[in-house]
Amino acid sequence: MTTAADLAVKTLGPCRIDSPLRPLLENRRTTTHYVGEDDRVLFHDTASLVRDSGYSVDALPGFEPAGPRRNIFFDASKMRVGIVTCGGLCPGLNDVIRGIVMELTFHYGVTRILGFRNGYQGFVARYGHDVVDLTPRVVSNIDEDGGTILGTSRGEQDPQEIVDCLERMNVGALFVIGGDGTLRGAMQLTSAIAERGGRIAVVGIPKTIDNDIPYIDQSFGFQTAFGEATKSIQAAHVEAKASPNGVGLVKLMGRHSGFIACYASLAEPDANYVLIPEVPFQLDGPHGLLEHLLERVRRHGHAVIVAAEGAGQDLIPDTAAGVDASGNRRLEDIGLHLKTRITRHFAAAGVELNLKYIDPSYAIRSVPANPYDSVYCLRLAQNAVHAAMAGRTEMVVGRWHGRFVHVPIPLAVSHRNQVAPDGDLWLSVLEATGQPRSFGG
Ligand code: F6P
């Protein structure tokens, strides 16, 4: 069970400096739209969860609310700040960079902001990457482009070398934009800083198109990514309907979590089958997917299948593809496997098949953020700056039950956010597709 201690955010020390934002904050108190800085955002939001927790109202676990503080830890005029982007691309990275630079510059008066290139490599001398001076002029239009102006890379680097670099460059706060592997790296940084008695804030902005970081309503860029994915589902549907016994097969990103496949299929509800890593299925047998598909095509003349890339991995012979630089197992190609098995099954049944396979792959994540994600990125960036200026560290900014909060990194990497097979989202998918609850043998 999550306790108040799990939600406690580390700080570098007392906040003794008046915040330049103070005039905006006087007389604010908690309302429906605002949580005061001394208040808490409750972890549980149902009566039964609150009841079952056994806590009194005052002892209920809650997140520290995000937002500007009246007093801050850092003296902006004497401060240097670093920003780094790590891991795979995600729509909105440039929006977050831009948001951090604008907030630091125009609201706190920080004038020295450094962009470290190509993920954690950017701190390590032997890679020889240059450092970018980030000013409002440099970042003013970067949100119009996908990707990240800083570049990115996967994989760990020695935390001691990174802290050496931060100390050498006199960086007081580091903003780390990355997924779970990156955030684990950020935890190692905070430990290395603390061991040296340092006062460097490490604040994360969680990034994952897979939406697999827990305690965050939704990750930035996710909406843009599933929006892009709908184009492939639409294309698959058009193709499938245009030929006799047409089958449109779409493979979408989503290594361990099928959120993109679920949301894209709900947004473009032409999919008849959605396959995700969280819900195992069988291909063969009278109640398997192949037989169900054959029957559907016989009855309706076409079908659309959307498969998350991590779905059905247990059905594919393991080619020992190894792991990537972040330590993630390289997946077998479920799209090609399904294509082969469907083709064989229809041939064996003597039924014509016109299968079109679409894999939009990286195209769903390399685009600029949509307007919703841009707003979200900007607000995450603003809140990350407020947190760092108030000396918070080893935390990420997130949104929990619609409110911006501080989430300790150990909690954010404690497990993976996944589609619950008995939850509301999967039920919506079953309702929208009409597919059976399971494909048994
Ligand atoms: O982590 C997000 C993600 O886009 C996954 O959906 C996908 O499996 C993976 O990254 C691809 O990683 P890479 O950029 O290393 O090919």
Side-chain angles (χ1 to χ4, degrees):
M1 195 202 299
T2 308
T3 65
D6 298 324
L7 307 184
V9 172
K10 287 188 184 160
T11 65
L12 296 175
C15 292
R16 297 206 176 93
I17 297 175
D18 263 4
S19 168
L21 283 120
R22 188 178 257 270
L24 291 177
L25 305 177
E26 298 298 355
N27 306 323
R28 290 183 96 191
R29 60 195 160 71
T30 295
T31 67
T32 317
H33 304 288
Y34 169 72
V35 188
E37 65 180 80
D38 302 320
D39 208 337
R40 286 285 174 277
V41 173
L42 291 185
F43 184 74
H44 300 303
D45 72 343
T46 68
S48 63
L49 285 172
V50 169
R51 202 180 309 115
D52 294 349
S53 76
Y55 290 111
S56 66
V57 171
D58 286 335
L60 279 171
F63 287 106
E64 182 172 76
R69 270 43 189 175
R70 291 178 181 81
N71 295 301
I72 56 177
F73 178 80
F74 285 106
D75 177 354
S77 64
K78 300 181 183 59
M79 189 186 186
R80 263 191 173 185
V81 166
I83 305 179
V84 65
T85 52
C86 308
L89 290 184
C90 176
L93 284 166
N94 281 334
D95 296 70
V96 175
I97 297 170
R98 183 184 184 282
I100 293 171
V101 173
M102 296 303 190
E103 186 68 25
L104 282 167
T105 310
F106 294 121
H107 295 288
Y108 287 96
V110 175
T111 54
R112 288 166 296 179
I113 309 171
L114 306 173
F116 291 89
R117 282 206 190 271
N118 301 324
Y120 286 139
Q121 287 184 6
F123 300 95
V124 178
R126 70 172 182 284
Y127 289 99
H129 300 311
D130 60 340
V131 173
V132 195
D133 272 320
L134 295 173
T135 61
R137 185 190 287 262
V138 169
V139 301
S140 70
N141 296 322
I142 61 172
D143 51 313
E144 291 167 15
D145 296 320
T148 157
I149 55 156
L150 296 178
T152 184
S153 67
R154 284 198 183 279
E156 284 183 29
Q157 299 296 335
D158 177 3
Q160 299 297 342
E161 277 191 75
I162 298 177
V163 179
D164 285 348
C165 172
L166 294 173
E167 286 182 349
R168 259 193 320 265
M169 302 193 79
N170 215 8
V171 169
L174 177 67
F175 294 95
V176 177
I177 311 169
D180 55 348
T182 307
L183 297 177
R184 284 199 185 88
M187 262 168 74
Q188 294 176 354
L189 289 185
T190 53
S191 305
I193 293 164
E195 277 161 23
R196 298 180 188 199
R199 301 270 189 107
I200 304 174
V202 178
V203 170
I205 297 95
K207 175 235 58 163
T208 152
I209 60 158
D210 291 357
N211 196 36
D212 57 359
I213 296 182
Y215 307 110
I216 287 159
D217 290 345
Q218 231 172 50
S219 50
F220 77 80
F222 168 69
Q223 195 189 83
T224 306
F226 82 70
E228 282 300 305
T230 61
K231 295 177 186 167
S232 297
I233 300 178
Q234 200 178 18
H237 190 220
V238 170
E239 290 285 348
K241 280 193 305 182
S243 307
N245 293 349
V247 171
L249 171 60
V250 181
K251 184 180 80 170
L252 295 174
M253 281 192 165
R255 215 184 333 238
H256 303 287
S257 303
F259 289 104
I260 295 175
C262 289
Y263 272 81
S265 302
L266 292 175
E268 190 64 41
D270 296 321
N272 307 110
Y273 303 95
V274 177
L275 306 172
I276 58 172
E278 296 89 333
V279 180
F281 59 95
Q282 289 190 29
L283 288 172
D284 300 304
H287 304 294
L289 174 68
L290 295 174
E291 198 49 34
H292 200 281
L293 175 68
L294 184 69
E295 275 315 303
R296 189 202 134 89
V297 172
R298 274 192 175 127
R299 268 184 287 118
H300 298 280
H302 75 277
V304 174
I305 306 169
V306 175
E309 63 182 331
Q313 290 296 305
D314 56 317
L315 305 173
I316 314 175
D318 194 351
T319 58
V323 293
D324 69 11
S326 303
N328 303 305
R329 187 165 68 86
R330 288 191 207 281
L331 298 178
E332 305 297 334
D333 194 327
I334 185 65
L336 290 180
H337 185 70
L338 286 173
K339 183 180 172 187
T340 308
R341 293 299 316 274
I342 293 167
T343 305
R344 265 198 234 145
H345 194 74
F346 276 61
V351 176
E352 180 184 0
L353 169 71
N354 285 291
L355 186 148
K356 304 287 159 50
Y357 176 40
I358 301 176
D359 177 2
S361 180
Y362 297 102
I364 70 167
R365 68 175 208 190
S366 49
V367 292
N370 71 15
Y372 174 89
D373 268 329
S374 289
V375 172
Y376 188 32
C377 288
L378 179 61
R379 299 195 69 195
L380 286 170
Q382 291 169 337
N383 282 310
V385 170
H386 298 318
M389 293 307 291
R392 301 302 191 268
T393 192
E394 204 183 54
M395 55 144 279
V396 295
V397 281
R399 198 158 60 182
W400 183 244
H401 302 154
R403 298 188 189 273
F404 286 95
V405 294
H406 296 168
V407 181
I409 293 182
L411 197 67
V413 299
S414 60
H415 65 276
R416 188 173 280 131
N417 189 30
Q418 289 191 300
V419 178
D422 54 359
D424 284 355
L425 176 61
W426 187 241
L427 182 61
S428 287
V429 172
L430 295 181
E431 287 173 330
T433 57
Q435 74 190 67
R437 271 193 82 222
S438 65
F439 291 105

